[in-house]
């Protein structure tokens, strides 16, 4: 695999693939999380300046193939990727991880957006938010009968009716069991990321008959080739 690829990352799978790429490849991160310093490929950090900026980067760097391995909820960068490759005249391959599916006994409720989520939380007292930083913008709106726990990348000082835990996956089943028990979680809020590394919380919710509110997945644009798992993408890339 000697073509010059640009890998859009920010996920476990992207990092795994980046570890296999040589110095002709570029691994791109938005800059919100950790930046690895032990890769053989080039690493760049920060936005490109929309689809136009990405198309310019592709042209200037002589990129021949764009790989979109961003998170399923990172809809903006995936939309930019699909537009940029049309402008630049190259192909985009994407990893489109399937969402989790409920099993017997699961009480999963899908919500469209933050307003839908707030409505669905009515009647619960101890929600556990595991969908990133968005709840932090709403800490002043916590109803009097609720105490929130927000788990996201960076923790903060506790507030009268909220705890903000800083943590990074993968999360173990035992750890999640302990967390639900300690918090008395009565509802779990999550994105439907489909990632194995964050799946144990769903099993614990099932064991404890805790309902799960899932933020609906955004629509992602079609690209030249879509893969549902990393192994298939790797095979096509290195064949
Ligand atoms: P987003 O809303 O789709 O993208 C916002 C902007 O961030 C993009 O327009 C782009 O800026 C820049 N960007 C995003 N990913 C980039 C990348 N890999 N390389 C360079 N620039 C990038 O994305 P988001 O939801 O904020 O997520 C940001 C990053 O975190 C993504 O890479 C994603 O894979 C990762 N992540 C997201 C989630 C999630 O729940 N959303 C969860 C885990 C990891 P310009 O327009 O200036 O190019």
């Amino acid at each position: 695999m000697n073509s010059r690829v640009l890998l859009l990352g920010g996920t476990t799978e992207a990092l795994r693939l980046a570890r296999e790429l040589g110095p002709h490849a570029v691994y791109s991160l938005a800059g919100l999380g950790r930046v690895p310093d032990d890769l053989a490929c080039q690493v760049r950090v920060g936005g490109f300046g929309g689809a136009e900026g990405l198309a310019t980067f592709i042209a200037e760097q002589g990129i021949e193939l764009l790989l979109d391995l961003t998170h399923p909820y990172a809809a903006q960068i995936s939309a930019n990727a699909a537009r940029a490759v049309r402008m630049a005249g190259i192909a985009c391959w994407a990893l489109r991880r399937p969402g989790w599916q409920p099993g017997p006994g699961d009480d999963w409720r899908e919500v469209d957006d933050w307003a839908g989520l707030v409505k669905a939380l009515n009647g619960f007292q101890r929600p556990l938010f595991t969908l990133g930083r968005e709840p932090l913008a709403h800490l002043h709106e916590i109803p009097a009968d609720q105490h929130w726990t927000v788990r996201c990348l960076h923790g903060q000082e506790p507030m009268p009716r909220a705890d903000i835990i800083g943590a990074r996956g993968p999360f173990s089943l035992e750890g999640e069991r302990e967390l639900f028990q300690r918090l008395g979680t009565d509802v779990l809020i999550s994105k439907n990321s489909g990632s194995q590394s964050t799946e144990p919380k769903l099993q614990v919710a099932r064991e404890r008959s805790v309902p799960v509110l899932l933020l609906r997945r955004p629509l992602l644009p079609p690209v030249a080739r879509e893969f549902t798992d990393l192994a298939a993408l790797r095979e096509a890339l290195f064949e």
Side-chain angles (χ1 to χ4, degrees), residues 3 19 21 26 37 56 72 80 83 86 95 101 167 173 209 233 239:
S3 53
R19 293 201 179 285
L21 299 176
V26 184
D37 57 5
T56 303
N80 292 354
R83 274 190 59 214
R86 280 199 298 275
L95 182 62
Q101 297 297 327
L173 189 56
S209 301
L233 189 148
E239 74 188 359

Side-chain angles (χ1 to χ4, degrees), residues 8-11 28-30 32 44 46-50 70-71 73-77 80 191:
L8 301 174
T11 57
S28 174
L29 292 166
L32 303 180
R44 65 164 302 285
F48 295 94
T70 58
H71 190 272
Y73 283 74
Q76 186 60 59
I77 187 68
N80 292 354
K191 289 176 178 169

